């Protein structure tokens, strides 16, 4: 299956605030194909998943990755999660605007690694509950997350309601090492 050819990656900018640098890999041909949005971990860039994007395109699956620049701009870790997920929806919008005639809208998925996996889980309907951070730190104060600057800012913001950023266009998710998975409510 990987023997099929793939078009070269195409770089583009996703409009909005902030604009996002993105890459698109499309399989050769004119058929409608599935699409996977690739979400990198904190501190990463779209290039982290370039080999995966190229491999997916070679296998007949379109892929798009982007550099998440909004992580440190959000006032607290929970808003960062929501910002990451919403950026995934923005990239999907941009890909559909660029290549919608090639994408099968019934076969859109998301792959996320670490913080990207957390955003992917939000995109497919997960809800992160900040109160679970408070509960973790109360039950296990020695937990290293609780003592870091990130953890202290999360505790300071833990009174906010659960975070949701579901986008029903995403039908499947593959999560690799989801960061802060304990925040997600069981349902």
């Amino acid at each position: 299956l990987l023997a099929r050819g793939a078009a070269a990656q195409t770089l583009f900018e996703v409009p909005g605030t902030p604009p996002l640098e993105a890459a698109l890999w499309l399989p050769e041909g004119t058929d409608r194909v599935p699409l996977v949005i690739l979400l990198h971990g904190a501190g990463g860039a779209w290039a982290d998943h370039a080999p995966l994007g190229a491999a997916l395109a070679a296998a007949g699956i379109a892929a798009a990755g982007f550099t998440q620049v909004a992580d440190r701009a959000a006032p607290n870790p929970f808003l960062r999660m929501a910002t990451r997920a919403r950026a995934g929806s923005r990239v999907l919008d941009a890909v559909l605007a660029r290549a919608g005639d090639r994408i099968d809208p019934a076969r859109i998925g998301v792959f996320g690694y670490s913080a990207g996996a957390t955003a992917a889980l939000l995109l497919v309907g997960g809800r992160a509950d900040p109160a679970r951070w408070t509960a973790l730190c109360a039950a296990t104060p020695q937990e290293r997350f609780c003592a870091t600057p990130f953890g202290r800012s999360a505790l300071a913001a833990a009174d906010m309601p659960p975070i949701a950023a579901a986008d029903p266009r995403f039908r499947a998710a593959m999560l690799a090492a989801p960061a802060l998975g304990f925040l997600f409510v069981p349902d």
Side-chain angles (χ1 to χ4, degrees):
L1 189 60
L2 290 177
R4 282 195 239 168
Q9 80 186 15
T10 302
L11 300 180
F12 66 101
E13 185 175 283
V14 177
T17 304
L20 303 170
E21 178 186 48
L24 175 64
W25 297 268
L26 277 174
E28 290 181 341
T30 58
D31 294 340
R32 288 191 139 203
V33 296
L35 169 68
V36 176
I37 300 293
L38 307 173
L39 305 177
H40 63 75
W46 67 263
D48 296 348
H49 294 306
L52 177 57
L56 286 168
I61 301 167
F66 66 100
T67 299
Q68 179 61 260
V69 295
D71 286 347
R72 290 170 187 85
N76 71 56
F78 304 112
L79 292 179
R80 290 178 197 160
M81 289 179 205
T83 298
R84 275 181 156 267
R86 289 185 190 106
S89 291
R90 282 178 51 206
V91 170
L92 176 55
D93 291 340
V95 168
L96 293 175
R98 292 180 71 80
D101 60 329
R102 293 289 318 281
I103 304 303
D104 180 345
R107 297 188 298 162
I108 295 173
V110 58
F111 167 81
Y113 169 73
S114 191
T118 302
L121 191 51
L122 287 168
L123 284 168
V124 295
R127 288 182 304 120
D129 186 353
R132 294 173 70 88
W133 191 284
T134 303
L136 170 76
C137 293
T140 56
Q142 72 279 10
E143 172 59 53
R144 68 179 181 88
F145 285 132
C146 301
T148 65
F150 180 89
R152 288 191 299 275
S153 67
L155 281 171
D159 61 344
M160 61 187 300
I163 297 161
D167 184 331
R169 299 175 296 176
F170 289 95
R171 305 282 179 96
M174 181 174 173
L175 311 174
L180 310 175
F182 68 90
L183 292 175
F184 287 87
V185 297
D187 63 339

